[in-house]
Amino acid sequence: MLDADVGARPADRYQGREFSVPDGSTEFDGRTTVRRLDAPRALELEAHGRPLGTARIAFDIRPWGDKTLVILDEYPLRGLGGSLHNTVLDTIAQIRHRSMLRRLAEVVEGMPQDTG
Protein backbone atom coordinates (compact mmCIF):
# COMPACT_ATOMS: atom_id res chain seq x y z
CA MET A 1 0.00 0.00 0.00
CA LEU A 2 1.33 3.42 -0.92
CA ASP A 3 0.40 6.51 1.02
CA ALA A 4 2.17 9.36 -0.71
CA ASP A 5 2.03 13.11 -0.27
CA VAL A 6 0.43 14.56 -3.41
CA GLY A 7 2.75 17.57 -3.60
CA ALA A 8 6.01 15.67 -3.07
CA ARG A 9 8.47 14.82 -5.83
CA PRO A 10 8.19 11.18 -7.02
CA ALA A 11 11.57 10.23 -5.52
CA ASP A 12 10.46 11.58 -2.13
CA ARG A 13 6.96 10.13 -2.25
CA TYR A 14 7.83 6.45 -2.52
CA GLN A 15 11.15 5.89 -0.79
CA GLY A 16 10.26 2.55 0.70
CA ARG A 17 7.83 0.39 2.59
CA GLU A 18 8.85 -2.33 4.99
CA PHE A 19 7.44 -5.83 4.55
CA SER A 20 7.67 -9.31 6.07
CA VAL A 21 6.94 -12.53 4.21
CA PRO A 22 6.39 -15.69 6.26
CA ASP A 23 7.80 -18.80 4.59
CA GLY A 24 7.14 -21.87 6.72
CA SER A 25 9.29 -21.67 9.83
CA THR A 26 11.23 -18.58 8.71
CA GLU A 27 10.34 -15.02 7.75
CA PHE A 28 11.92 -12.74 5.16
CA ASP A 29 12.10 -9.02 5.90
CA GLY A 30 12.63 -6.32 3.35
CA ARG A 31 11.69 -3.01 1.83
CA THR A 32 10.17 -1.90 -1.48
CA THR A 33 10.90 1.24 -3.46
CA VAL A 34 8.72 2.52 -6.30
CA ARG A 35 10.92 2.93 -9.37
CA ARG A 36 8.17 3.83 -11.85
CA LEU A 37 4.55 4.83 -11.45
CA ASP A 38 2.33 5.56 -14.44
CA ALA A 39 -1.09 5.35 -12.78
CA PRO A 40 -3.29 3.60 -13.62
CA ARG A 41 -1.26 1.72 -16.26
CA ALA A 42 2.01 0.65 -14.67
CA LEU A 43 3.81 0.17 -11.38
CA GLU A 44 7.43 -0.97 -11.05
CA LEU A 45 8.93 -1.77 -7.68
CA GLU A 46 12.39 -2.71 -6.50
CA ALA A 47 12.12 -5.14 -3.61
CA HIS A 48 15.07 -5.46 -1.26
CA GLY A 49 14.62 -8.76 0.55
CA ARG A 50 17.09 -10.22 2.99
CA PRO A 51 18.77 -12.65 2.40
CA LEU A 52 17.77 -13.00 -1.27
CA GLY A 53 18.88 -9.60 -2.59
CA THR A 54 16.88 -7.31 -4.85
CA ALA A 55 14.27 -7.92 -7.54
CA ARG A 56 12.34 -5.83 -10.04
CA ILE A 57 8.58 -6.37 -9.82
CA ALA A 58 6.47 -4.83 -12.57
CA PHE A 59 2.69 -4.61 -12.86
CA ASP A 60 1.36 -3.81 -16.35
CA ILE A 61 -2.36 -2.95 -16.13
CA ARG A 62 -4.43 -2.95 -19.34
CA PRO A 63 -8.10 -2.65 -20.26
CA TRP A 64 -9.38 -6.01 -21.48
CA GLY A 65 -12.88 -5.63 -22.87
CA ASP A 66 -15.04 -4.76 -19.86
CA LYS A 67 -12.38 -6.30 -17.55
CA THR A 68 -8.79 -5.48 -16.61
CA LEU A 69 -5.71 -7.53 -17.46
CA VAL A 70 -2.82 -7.41 -14.96
CA ILE A 71 0.55 -8.71 -16.16
CA LEU A 72 3.09 -9.38 -13.41
CA ASP A 73 6.80 -9.67 -14.16
CA GLU A 74 9.50 -10.29 -11.57
CA TYR A 75 13.22 -10.50 -12.20
CA PRO A 76 16.08 -10.84 -9.69
CA LEU A 77 18.60 -8.01 -9.90
CA ARG A 78 21.31 -8.54 -7.29
CA GLY A 79 22.27 -10.89 -4.50
CA LEU A 80 21.55 -14.55 -3.91
CA GLY A 81 18.30 -14.47 -5.92
CA GLY A 82 20.14 -13.23 -9.00
CA SER A 83 22.95 -15.76 -8.58
CA LEU A 84 20.54 -18.70 -8.24
CA HIS A 85 18.07 -17.55 -10.91
CA ASN A 86 17.01 -20.52 -13.07
CA THR A 87 13.99 -22.23 -14.63
CA VAL A 88 13.02 -24.01 -11.40
CA LEU A 89 12.88 -20.72 -9.48
CA ASP A 90 10.92 -19.13 -12.35
CA THR A 91 8.34 -21.93 -12.04
CA ILE A 92 8.02 -21.37 -8.28
CA ALA A 93 7.64 -17.63 -8.90
CA GLN A 94 4.84 -18.26 -11.43
CA ILE A 95 2.93 -20.28 -8.83
CA ARG A 96 3.40 -17.49 -6.28
CA HIS A 97 2.34 -14.86 -8.85
CA ARG A 98 -0.90 -16.71 -9.63
CA SER A 99 -1.72 -16.77 -5.93
CA MET A 100 -0.85 -13.08 -5.55
CA LEU A 101 -2.94 -12.07 -8.58
CA ARG A 102 -5.88 -14.15 -7.34
CA ARG A 103 -5.76 -12.34 -3.98
CA LEU A 104 -5.47 -8.98 -5.77
CA ALA A 105 -8.53 -9.82 -7.88
CA GLU A 106 -10.50 -10.74 -4.74
CA VAL A 107 -9.64 -7.39 -3.14
CA VAL A 108 -10.41 -5.34 -6.26
CA GLU A 109 -13.64 -7.18 -7.04
CA GLY A 110 -14.79 -6.58 -3.44
CA MET A 111 -14.37 -2.80 -3.80
CA PRO A 112 -17.36 -0.53 -4.55
CA GLN A 113 -17.85 0.04 -8.27
CA ASP A 114 -17.14 3.51 -9.69
CA THR A 115 -20.27 4.43 -11.61
CA GLY A 116 -18.71 7.80 -12.49
Side-chain angles (χ1 to χ4, degrees), residues 6-111:
V6 174
R9 296 180 322 228
D12 295 335
R13 289 168 42 185
Y14 308 118
Q15 278 306 303
R17 300 290 179 236
E18 304 281 323
F19 67 87
S20 293
V21 178
D23 183 28
S25 62
T26 189
E27 188 170 279
F28 295 100
D29 295 322
R31 172 177 54 84
T32 60
T33 303
V34 174
R35 294 296 181 202
R36 179 173 167 255
L37 175 60
D38 181 14
R41 293 177 289 280
L43 172 64
E44 290 185 19
L45 305 171
E46 184 172 346
H48 305 261
R50 288 166 251 139
L52 298 177
T54 63
R56 176 189 152 276
I57 304 167
F59 294 87
D60 182 6
I61 302 139
R62 302 176 185 180
W64 196 259
D66 64 342
K67 306 281 186 198
T68 301
L69 175 67
V70 178
I71 300 169
L72 173 60
D73 182 44
E74 181 176 1
Y75 191 82
L77 299 172
R78 291 183 290 278
L80 186 59
S83 300
L84 298 177
H85 184 234
N86 61 41
T87 305
V88 173
L89 292 178
D90 279 346
T91 302
I92 293 168
Q94 280 191 1
I95 293 167
R96 190 181 79 226
H97 293 163
R98 287 183 184 139
S99 173
M100 182 186 343
L101 290 170
R102 179 183 41 75
R103 291 190 312 268
L104 176 62
E106 289 170 359
V107 168
V108 171
E109 290 168 359
M111 296 175 69

